Amino acid sequence: MKTLTVKEEEIMDFYWDFGPMHIKELQSHYAAPKPHVNTLSTLVHILEEKGFLAHKALTPRCFQYYAILSRDEYRHGTLNNVVNKFFGKSYLSAVSA
């Protein structure tokens, strides 16, 4: 499973908490100063390429994005990556540490 940067994880938290939304709706959840729509759009497209988000076209230029991986699936995958990488695929070693 691919990992998320801090900004990508922040965006995914919004999608996990609030469900499907447009980029403008995503922007509305940020406190001031809000990130620019183009910045959010770029990050959302990266998340789509990584397999965390997908979209449906409501009109030719209007897309609604939604999470295709749940928060729990991401947590579980991240934990597996840590155990595999640092503890030789041994959960017993991870717990002992």
Side-chain angles (χ1 to χ4, degrees):
M1 172 182 294
K2 295 185 178 185
T3 58
L4 296 173
T5 66
V6 173
K7 289 293 181 186
E8 290 169 347
E9 193 166 348
E10 182 179 49
I11 290 172
M12 286 306 300
D13 281 333
F14 288 127
Y15 279 100
W16 288 324
D17 292 340
F18 300 108
M21 62 185 126
H22 309 277
I23 301 293
K24 281 288 216 179
E25 291 173 300
L26 173 63
Q27 184 189 40
S28 71
H29 292 292
Y30 280 88
K34 296 179 184 294
H36 194 273
V37 172
N38 291 347
T39 303
L40 292 175
S41 181
T42 299
L43 289 168
V44 165
H45 288 287
I46 291 169
L47 287 167
E48 198 169 16
E49 289 173 7
K50 285 184 169 184
F52 289 93
L53 293 176
H55 74 271
K56 68 177 174 183
L58 303 176
T59 66
R61 295 195 58 178
C62 182
F63 301 101
Q64 185 178 50
Y65 296 89
Y66 56 93
I68 55 175
L69 188 70
S70 73
R71 182 180 273 134
D72 288 336
E73 290 169 326
Y74 177 67
R75 284 182 186 155
H76 182 69
T78 302
L79 179 60
N80 281 341
N81 287 343
V82 170
V83 170
N84 292 342
K85 186 174 183 177
F86 297 108
F87 298 99
K89 298 182 181 180
S90 170
Y91 279 93
L92 182 59
S93 296
V95 171
S96 296

